[in-house]
Amino acid sequence: MKKIEHLGIAVKDLEESNALFARLLGTPHYKTEEVASEGVKTSFFKSGPNKVELLEATHPDSPIAKFIEKKGEGIHHIAFEVEDIRAEIARLKAEGFTVLNEEPKMGADNKWVAFLHPKTTNGVLIELCQNRE
Ligand SMILES: CC[C@H](C(=O)O)C(=O)SCCNC(=O)CCNC(=O)[C@H](O)C(C)(C)COP(=O)(O)OP(=O)(O)OC[C@H]1O[C@@H](n2cnc3c(N)ncnc32)[C@H](O)[C@@H]1OP(=O)(O)O
Ligand SMILES: [Co+2]
């Protein structure tokens, strides 16, 4: 794992939360992107070297909708940048973590992504991100 790539925060209303985080961070979001395959609309903020991803559900079956229904708005996942996502998936599987998608999938902000089940990571949903060249 190279570094924390972003913190994912589940929100009910992306526009409202974009305005709140712009006030909080003192800078507007630098992009919004819908990832239909994940049932999410996202917006990204830079805060120094760190990145914050806000996520709103685009349909009731979205992981974000289920999360908010169960736990309310808040930190949804921690994403780590990896050099080689396939190698990292194999390593983590061998370490006994549950990888939710063994085939990397297209994420937002030009990444290949995979997720580890929170049941195997002390209750924290972990995302792996590799830059898509
Ligand atoms: C890819 C675009 C973007 C990017 O950065 O590029 C994203 O980050 S997209 C983010 C949205 N996509 C995902 O989260 C995909 C991975 N998530 C999943 O596959 C599911 O959400 C899963 C498997 C984690 C949970 O789904 P399930 O249908 O099993 O929902 P349950 O409510 O039944 O949850 C089971 C169990 O897990 C706990 N849980 C669920 N979500 C989280 C979470 N984010 N953090 C911690 N724990 C979580 C939930 O509370 C249940 O536990 P229990 O003790 O049984 O209540
Ligand atoms: Co993410």
Side-chain angles (χ1 to χ4, degrees), residues 87-112:
E88 205 56 20
I89 286 171
R91 183 184 75 79
L92 292 163
K93 270 183 68 186
E95 290 281 358
F97 294 98
T98 301
V99 181
L100 289 164
N101 59 293
E102 299 204 6
E103 197 52 35
K105 50 187 177 180
M106 299 258 271
D109 220 18
N110 203 32
K111 305 276 184 249
W112 290 111

Side-chain angles (χ1 to χ4, degrees), residues 6 38 53 66 70-71 76-77 107-108 119 123 125 127:
H6 63 264
E38 289 299 316
E53 173 189 61
K66 288 186 80 170
K70 205 161 203 174
K71 299 172 178 271
H76 178 260
H77 61 274
K119 286 283 181 221
L125 178 62
E127 178 182 358

Side-chain angles (χ1 to χ4, degrees), residues 10-17 55-57 64 68-69 72-73:
V11 299
K12 289 176 182 162
D13 182 318
L14 197 58
E15 251 175 62
E16 216 173 272
S17 296
L55 304 116
E56 180 191 341
I64 296 300
I68 289 179
E69 208 179 290
E73 293 181 308

Side-chain angles (χ1 to χ4, degrees), residues 8 37 41 49 51 64 79 112 118:
S37 56
K41 233 179 350 182
K51 215 163 106 178
I64 296 300
W112 290 111

Side-chain angles (χ1 to χ4, degrees), residues 10-43:
V11 299
K12 289 176 182 162
D13 182 318
L14 197 58
E15 251 175 62
E16 216 173 272
S17 296
N18 279 342
L20 187 149
F21 274 79
R23 289 198 336 265
L24 176 73
L25 300 174
T27 178
H29 61 283
Y30 66 86
K31 80 185 291 189
T32 57
E33 184 177 348
E34 181 165 347
V35 183
S37 56
E38 289 299 316
V40 294
K41 233 179 350 182
T42 64
S43 59

